[in-house]
């Protein structure tokens, strides 16, 4: 039943996005192809992580970590790139508009970090491994907070004057990535196994629980660092991009005025010759 619910949720999001994109194309406001591709790859990654990695994620922690990083981080980033103001415009006419204060950058980042840390608490993590309803709630919140966090950042980066918000955007990225990297380092260097659920891996797999936890931490560390580097380089390229040259305004000249100017120029030339 969990897999059916997950497929239904992803299909619902894909249907809503696709129908809105088709409507915008019909009225002459098409979504750029690059954004459509990002959204499509993000949705496919989301579905694949929920369905394909579900079984391995119950055997080894590092597969569970890969699954959650895809769901709450990488897939959400790709989907957020595919979102535009036109795509999101209908939400302003629904009760979801009341959640607008939660989309502000500091609040969005705080919610994402809090959601990331809460689900890693050992007792809560154990409960999600044993109850499908909690697993589904976890995945929904990972997607919701991930989309909210990345959308808030992209609004800053993609603004008309990125130089103004460069420092805030860099701090936004570094703080968010630091939370994930700190969590990853705990998994790498801890001498204890935090999740008893995976202790049975001693017999189910050749990977020991402690090594499994260390691999999971290394995967999270690499993913967090790689995304941070890519985003910082992208922001730097936008800031260093030269400003567009001002457009030249051509003032139309009336025929009579043009004839008068031509006659004046001819007279001036004759006077110069004499």
């Amino acid at each position: 039943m969990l897999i059916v619910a997950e497929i239904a949720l992803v299909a619902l999001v894909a249907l809503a996005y696709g129908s809105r994109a088709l409507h915008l194309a019909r009225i002459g406001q098409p979504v750029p192809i690059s954004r459509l591709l990002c959204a499509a790859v993000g949705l496919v990654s989301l579905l694949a992580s929920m369905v394909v990695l579900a079984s391995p994620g119950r055997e080894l922690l590092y597969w569970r970590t890969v699954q959650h990083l895809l769901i709450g981080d990488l897939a959400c980033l790709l989907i957020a790139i595919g979102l535009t103001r036109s795509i999101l415009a209908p939400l302003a006419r629904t009760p979801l508009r009341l959640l607008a204060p939660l989309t502000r950058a500091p609040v969005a980042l705080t919610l994402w970090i809090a959601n990331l840390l809460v689900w890693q608490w050992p007792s809560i993590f154990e409960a999600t491994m044993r109850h499908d309803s909690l697993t589904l709630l976890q995945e929904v919140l990972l997607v919701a907070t991930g989309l909210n966090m990345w959308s808030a950042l992209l609004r800053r980066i993609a603004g008309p004057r990125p130089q103004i918000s460069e420092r805030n955007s860099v701090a936004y990225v570094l703080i968010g990535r630091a939370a994930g990297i700190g969590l990853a380092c705990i998994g790498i260097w801890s001498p204890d196994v935090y999740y008893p659920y995976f202790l049975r891996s001693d017999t189910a797999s050749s990977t020991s629980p402690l090594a499994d936890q260390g691999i999971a931490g290394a995967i999270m560390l690499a993913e967090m660092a790689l995304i941070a580097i890519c985003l910082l380089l992208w922001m730097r390229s936008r800031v260093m991009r030269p400003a567009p040259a001002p457009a030249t305004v051509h003032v139309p000249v009336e025929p009579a005025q043009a004839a008068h100017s031509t006659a004046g120029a001819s007279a001036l030339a004759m006077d110069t010759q004499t």
Side-chain angles (χ1 to χ4, degrees), residues 45-137:
S45 301
L46 190 61
L47 183 61
S49 62
M50 290 179 174
V51 176
V52 178
L53 297 179
S55 180
R58 292 188 175 277
E59 298 295 332
L60 292 168
L61 177 60
Y62 68 78
W63 280 119
R64 190 77 171 181
T65 301
V66 171
Q67 182 188 33
H68 287 175
L69 289 174
L70 281 173
I71 293 174
D73 208 31
L74 187 56
C76 288
L77 174 58
L78 292 172
I79 296 172
I81 293 174
L83 297 177
T84 64
R85 291 181 182 272
S86 300
I87 289 285
L88 298 174
L91 296 180
R93 299 188 293 271
T94 68
L96 290 176
R97 68 181 183 276
L98 300 177
L99 301 178
L102 301 181
T103 64
R104 296 175 181 173
V107 179
L109 182 60
T110 302
L111 289 175
W112 182 82
I113 293 175
N115 187 68
L116 175 69
L117 299 179
V118 164
W119 291 111
Q120 300 303 318
W121 192 262
S123 59
I124 298 177
F125 188 96
E126 289 284 312
T128 60
M129 297 299 296
R130 302 181 187 279
H131 302 282
D132 287 348
S133 58
L134 281 178
T135 299
L136 183 62
L137 176 62

Side-chain angles (χ1 to χ4, degrees), residues 12-247:
L12 183 62
V13 173
L15 180 62
Y17 184 92
S19 60
R20 180 62 181 169
L22 285 175
H23 172 73
L24 292 173
R26 291 192 192 100
I27 63 175
Q29 301 175 9
V31 179
I33 297 296
S34 58
R35 288 180 177 264
L36 290 175
L37 288 175
C38 284
V41 173
L43 288 169
V44 171
S45 301
L46 190 61
L47 183 61
S49 62
M50 290 179 174
V51 176
V52 178
L53 297 179
S55 180
R58 292 188 175 277
E59 298 295 332
L60 292 168
L61 177 60
Y62 68 78
W63 280 119
R64 190 77 171 181
T65 301
V66 171
Q67 182 188 33
H68 287 175
L69 289 174
L70 281 173
I71 293 174
D73 208 31
L74 187 56
C76 288
L77 174 58
L78 292 172
I79 296 172
I81 293 174
L83 297 177
T84 64
R85 291 181 182 272
S86 300
I87 289 285
L88 298 174
L91 296 180
R93 299 188 293 271
T94 68
L96 290 176
R97 68 181 183 276
L98 300 177
L99 301 178
L102 301 181
T103 64
R104 296 175 181 173
V107 179
L109 182 60
T110 302
L111 289 175
W112 182 82
I113 293 175
N115 187 68
L116 175 69
L117 299 179
V118 164
W119 291 111
Q120 300 303 318
W121 192 262
S123 59
I124 298 177
F125 188 96
E126 289 284 312
T128 60
M129 297 299 296
R130 302 181 187 279
H131 302 282
D132 287 348
S133 58
L134 281 178
T135 299
L136 183 62
L137 176 62
Q138 179 188 32
E139 291 172 348
V140 169
L141 290 178
L142 283 173
V143 172
T145 56
L147 278 176
N148 190 33
M149 183 268 295
W150 286 127
S151 297
L153 174 65
L154 293 175
R155 283 196 301 270
R156 287 176 175 269
I157 297 176
R161 292 181 294 176
Q163 294 87 349
I164 294 179
S165 60
E166 180 193 11
R167 184 175 301 175
N168 292 336
S169 298
V170 170
Y172 189 99
V173 171
L174 294 180
I175 292 173
R177 300 297 97 181
I181 290 173
L183 188 61
C185 290
I186 293 175
I188 294 173
W189 301 110
S190 174
D192 302 317
V193 176
Y194 284 104
Y195 307 118
Y197 180 90
F198 292 101
L199 286 174
R200 60 193 180 92
S201 295
D202 278 327
T203 56
S205 172
S206 59
T207 305
S208 69
L210 193 59
D212 181 24
Q213 185 172 280
I215 295 171
I219 290 172
M220 178 178 284
L221 176 64
E223 191 268 351
M224 292 285 171
L226 181 61
I227 288 185
I229 292 171
C230 292
L231 286 173
L232 293 176
L233 289 176
W234 181 36
M235 286 188 287
R236 188 60 180 169
S237 67
R238 285 186 58 83
V239 171
M240 297 299 293
R241 185 182 303 171

